[in-house]
Structures are given as C-alpha cells and as structure tokens.
Amino acid sequence: METFEIIKKYLSPMITIPPLEWVALVRCLKVKHIKKDSFFFRQGENVFEIGYVQKGLLYNFYTDEDGNELVKYFISSGKLVAAYSSLILSRPAIASCKALEDTTIITIQYEDLLNLYKRHACWERMGRLGAEEQFVEKEIREYQFLANTASERYNFFVRENPDLINRIPQYLIASFLGISPVSLSRLRNPN
C-alpha cells in the first residue's frame, strides 16, 4: 500500500482534511526502514521526527546506570512513535526506541508538523487527538502500576495485547511489568 493511502486510512476517521492539506502533508512524509535490533532514536540524543509504525514492532525504554533496560512501552503497527519531551522541549531524549522486528515507519520532521499546525485547523485537531491518545495510554499504564498486582498487570497486558505475547522476549515483558523474569515465569506457570 502506498504511503499516502496508509496515512489516509489512519487519519481519515479522526479528521477531515482538505485536498490541498493532503498534498502539503505528503510532501513532508518519508519512509524509514529499521532493521531488527536497530534504533529509531537513542537516549541522550536529540530527536527531530515523529513516526507512524506501518509494520513491525518497537519498544521504548530507559537505560539505568547499571545498563539495565527499563521498558516504558511497546509500539506496534498503527501506533505513533516519538520522543515527545525531546521534540517539545528541544532536549536530548530521555529514552531509547529499538526495533524488535524489521520495522517500517512513516516519518515527519517535527518542524514540518509545526508548520502544518499553522497552515490549517485540521492539523491542530490531529495533534490534539494524538496527544489525547498518548495521555490516555500513559494514565492507564500508571494506574496499572499503582493499583494492580503483578499478576493483574500481566493478565491485563495479555488481554490487551494478545498479538504481542509471542513477539516480545519474556525478559522485556517482565521489565515492562516491573518484575523479574523469574517472577514472570511464575505468573505464566503457577504450578
């Protein structure tokens, strides 16, 4: 499927975009192919683009002082991926984003997105809806950590992401849940 059609399929249910605005958007888009185990962005580096995952799977994580990866979230097909604080505050990224599979991302430079916001109200609406989606996901994740047991977090993850369970290494799922791989193994096989 052509880049334009993929983005149109994603955006059309959310907003009405005039034909000239579609043209303006398509001029800004680039397709990026990221090989498995390669980075979309790295902690400590400035980030300048936002992506839409056409196909593949990535994970966003912090690296602590001991070199441990602390998984924030997973990004699969149909989702947006960015280092939002880096873009908005013009600071180095506080997390890294790495491909778990060969991944195709349709990208736009943040500067180009800001220019689209100035062009037409449809882009402002798109930005607001995207921010709302990110906010809801973050709020649910925080609730899971504060109000649920490890078992409840695991069951929620499995229920909400049945297609990802066999695509993500267990040690990364454990990190995402805030538990050790041994604890995850016990949760998966209680007998």
Side-chain angles (χ1 to χ4, degrees):
M1 191 182 297
E2 186 181 322
T3 302
F4 171 73
E5 292 301 321
I6 293 163
I7 292 298
K8 189 173 185 178
K9 184 177 177 184
Y10 172 68
L11 293 176
S12 291
M14 291 189 287
I15 56 175
T16 302
I17 302 172
L20 285 177
E21 294 307 311
W22 278 116
V23 172
L25 173 65
V26 171
R27 286 185 186 142
C28 299
L29 300 178
K30 291 193 169 88
V31 177
K32 190 174 266 194
H33 300 284
I34 301 174
K35 292 281 186 202
K36 180 180 179 177
D37 296 325
S38 296
F39 288 87
F40 180 50
F41 56 83
R42 291 177 189 260
Q43 186 173 327
E45 296 177 355
N46 288 336
V47 179
F48 303 100
E49 61 191 350
I50 293 174
Y52 171 82
V53 180
Q54 179 183 345
K55 70 173 187 156
L57 179 63
L58 306 111
Y59 70 109
N60 195 300
F61 63 96
Y62 305 109
T63 303
D64 68 14
E65 293 174 358
D66 297 326
N68 300 310
E69 293 180 359
L70 309 170
V71 178
K72 283 179 60 179
Y73 51 83
F74 301 101
I75 310 106
S76 58
S77 300
K79 297 287 186 180
L80 296 175
V81 57
Y84 295 102
S85 64
S86 178
L87 293 169
I88 294 166
L89 301 174
S90 297
R91 293 183 181 163
I94 60 173
S96 296
C97 186
K98 191 175 187 180
L100 286 167
E101 302 171 350
D102 288 350
T103 299
T104 302
I105 302 174
I106 300 169
T107 65
I108 184 170
Q109 293 293 305
Y110 187 60
E111 183 178 329
D112 290 337
L113 181 61
L114 294 176
N115 288 329
L116 287 175
Y117 287 165
K118 294 173 191 171
R119 277 183 59 98
H120 195 278
C122 68
W123 303 123
E124 286 279 345
R125 178 172 169 74
M126 178 199 68
R128 179 180 57 79
L129 293 172
E132 287 173 357
E133 181 180 313
Q134 296 297 315
F135 180 81
V136 168
E137 288 177 12
K138 183 173 178 57
E139 186 175 80
I140 290 169
R141 176 126 167 88
E142 288 171 354
Y143 173 80
Q144 290 296 315
F145 263 92
L146 296 172
N148 291 340
T149 65
S151 177
E152 291 167 331
R153 289 194 304 272
Y154 175 71
N155 290 331
F156 179 81
F157 181 77
V158 170
R159 189 172 57 251
E160 294 295 311
N161 305 285
D163 59 317
L164 299 183
I165 286 297
N166 295 320
R167 294 168 61 194
I168 300 171
Q170 295 302 301
Y171 76 96
L172 292 177
I173 293 173
S175 175
F176 175 77
L177 297 173
I179 60 176
S180 71
V182 172
S183 295
L184 177 59
S185 182
R186 284 190 201 116
L187 289 175
R188 295 181 70 216
N189 305 303
N191 298 328

